[in-house]
Amino acid sequence: MGTARTIGRTAASIAGAVVAAGAMTAAALGGAALIDFQTPSYLPQMAMGTLIVAIAALALWAAGSRRLPEWSRTIAGLLAPAAGSAIHQSFLLYGTNHYLNGVGGDQLNRVAYMGRFASSPALADAFYKDAAPFYPAGWFWIGGRIADLVGVPAWEFYKPFAIFTMALAASFAFLAWRALAGSRIAVPLALSTAAVGLVLAAYEPYSWLFIALLPAVAVWAQRIAEPRYLAYTGVFLGLAAITYTLIAAIGVVIVTSGAAISFARTPRDGRGTRLRIVASWVAAGIVSALIALLFWTPYLLAVLRGDGHERSVATDFAPEDAAQWPLPMLSGTGLVLMSIAGLVWLAWTVGGAVRGRGEGAGASSPEIVRIAFALAIMVLAGYAWFALSGLRAITGSTLLPFRLTPVITLAFACAGVFALREAWRRARAWGEANDRGPQVAALAVALGAVIVVHAAQSVSEEDAEFSDKARSAPGEPTAVVEAISDVTGGAEPKDLVVLSDDTSLYMFHPYWAFQAPAAAYAAPTGEYEKRNGLIEGWSKATSGRELAGALHGGEFPGPDVLVLTPEKGSDGEVWAYDEVVNTMPLKGNIRQVPIEFDPEIFADESMFHVEHAGGRVVIGVR
């Protein structure tokens, strides 16, 4: 009965968070759409900051008031962080249907992936028709199926679904912290979580959904011998594995570290407890592996069969921020004060506990010490990942450490909330003892206002740039899409393989790509380099019959349509395809090489149907 009640309460809490995040997202997007801002301007950002400050102030008042009932803090915790997150993004992306970065960079791959699952629920790669998928599909599958259900094009649904996801992460954070530390402090912790996510992780909302829960996971790991926390941990790691592999990997490190701390802090005569910890750690691993197989089975089977396979080059990506260890306490964001306070609190509390001096200054309960250890684990695991990535750089690759900057910053920010609470308690006690209560209260309100305002109006340079790109993103290449339909007799996009360097085609319609837009987005089983070699070989064909035979007779399903660009060559007009050559980890990441085709090769109408549209040549292969 107890287990059933726990499951029921957990399900009800999750449902409440989903409803709260959905309502706040709808309200924020709807409210922003009703306002007629002049653009481009900073007017949306000005309104955004004011609204978020007001919402945060009300939520913090509700959390701190001793006159309000408990349910008011639950409402504040579920709604306020989600509302702040949704308002921030809705107003930042005012005037566009696109999410951050529009149709550029990683968003091309992500939106195309969601579009794939909007066209069919079958597990598949974003681009290759015949390749076992390699990039976890969990979040994209859900988004694609909902887009199909509500009848909204996937590229248009991506923005509200991403905003909803960020809001949901904030609501989930409140629920997790309420269970760990109580609702009063859970409200500011959830607000801090939302602030960190908006500054550092909005470009990858599906990763933030899991990062936001890592503090709770680190606490669960220290109690993994209890069945409830074993289940929570195993399910979390499994869902992370089918959504974002890197977060699953750092999650395993954090869970193992938490379980090891619990093992080490168990008295020597507690052999039975230690055995339960080890057995539970193994059981959590089994649970997570079973969930992970929901996505990874096709890829593992392809590897075991010996199917064609190339090394994934995604980890060769080495941007500037991967070379710099994150120090949020010295950054220019609104999280500086929180991070400084968090660093001090972590060092003091964990240091005191390790030295055996109770639970550390200001941390009188085992629960607080457990939380301090959890946040310290996150910090140390994140920095260890950076260190290992630095060593791997010697081999010419990385561990993508910059993706863990939000993990480290979140830990410091959450620790900062506990630090400020402890400082307030001590200052209030001193003020009451020395008849300085009003002065202490005024100082606390002023400091809190500075932190809230600074955090509420923080917009990263990257997000500011990406929001501008979203507003200026080109629309659907309608003329080319219509020409593709014409040369294929009206075939559905999901039934066609297309070769084109106009990668926006795959974002707006679920065409299969003969070649992925870049090696970083290509599934290893798709054999990106081999496909580039085939395309180069096609350009050397001396007749239409030779080319048609090569297109139909290769080891991969050949393209039904080629979309090329007319260009002036040395001997007249040529039709070109820009081949993308991977150059990571070099700066720039890629190099484009034009592959030229002789237009005369496509002259035979029995083999090719040619149309000119939108500055392109669209060639249907009969």
Side-chain angles (χ1 to χ4, degrees), residues 479-502 505-506 511-515 535 538 547 551-552 557-564 577 597 602 607-613 616-622:
V480 173
V481 171
E482 291 176 353
I484 291 175
S485 180
D486 289 343
V487 302
T488 59
E492 291 290 327
K494 65 181 180 180
D495 298 324
L496 297 174
V497 178
V498 176
L499 174 67
S500 174
D501 56 24
D502 181 2
L505 282 171
Y506 310 118
Y511 297 111
W512 297 101
F514 179 80
Q515 182 59 298
I535 297 169
W538 296 342
L547 176 58
L551 294 175
H552 290 302
D560 301 296
V561 179
L562 290 80
V563 180
L564 307 178
Y577 165 82
F597 290 83
F602 302 101
M607 290 181 286
F608 304 103
H609 181 173
V610 179
E611 287 193 11
H612 291 262
R616 302 273 183 167
V617 181
V618 180
I619 306 162
V621 182
R622 299 187 189 276

Side-chain angles (χ1 to χ4, degrees), residues 70-95:
E70 173 65 23
W71 62 262
S72 66
R73 286 185 284 277
T74 298
I75 295 298
L78 286 174
L79 294 181
S85 179
I87 289 171
H88 176 103
Q89 292 200 289
S90 297
F91 281 69
L92 185 65
L93 291 167
Y94 176 82

Side-chain angles (χ1 to χ4, degrees), residues 317-497:
F317 182 45
E320 182 180 0
D321 50 356
Q324 301 174 348
W325 290 29
L327 297 171
M329 65 290 298
L330 300 178
S331 68
T333 69
L335 304 168
V336 173
L337 292 176
M338 299 291 292
S339 298
I340 292 173
L343 174 64
V344 173
W345 184 80
L346 280 178
W348 193 276
T349 306
V350 174
V354 169
R355 290 193 301 270
R357 299 179 182 177
E359 278 82 30
S364 58
S365 70
E367 288 75 16
I368 294 299
V369 173
R370 196 177 285 120
I371 289 170
F373 272 112
L375 298 176
I377 288 170
M378 288 175 61
V379 170
L380 294 177
Y383 283 133
W385 202 274
F386 267 85
L388 291 173
S389 186
L391 294 177
R392 196 183 183 197
I394 299 172
T395 69
S397 191
T398 78
L399 294 175
L400 301 176
F402 63 98
R403 299 296 189 197
L404 298 187
T405 295
V407 174
I408 296 170
T409 305
L410 176 63
F412 279 126
C414 289
V417 173
F418 286 97
L420 293 178
R421 182 180 71 168
E422 184 61 27
W424 161 245
R425 286 175 172 175
R426 290 174 177 269
R428 184 178 60 182
W430 178 88
E432 291 174 353
N434 294 275
D435 197 25
R436 293 290 188 272
Q439 292 93 324
V440 169
L443 180 60
V445 170
L447 180 60
V450 169
I451 292 173
V452 169
V453 171
H454 195 187
Q457 64 188 12
S458 291
V459 177
S460 69
E461 292 182 8
E462 180 182 74
D463 284 357
E465 176 188 349
F466 284 172
S467 63
D468 289 339
K469 288 185 176 180
R471 276 183 285 272
S472 60
E476 176 187 347
T478 306
V480 173
V481 171
E482 291 176 353
I484 291 175
S485 180
D486 289 343
V487 302
T488 59
E492 291 290 327
K494 65 181 180 180
D495 298 324
L496 297 174
V497 178

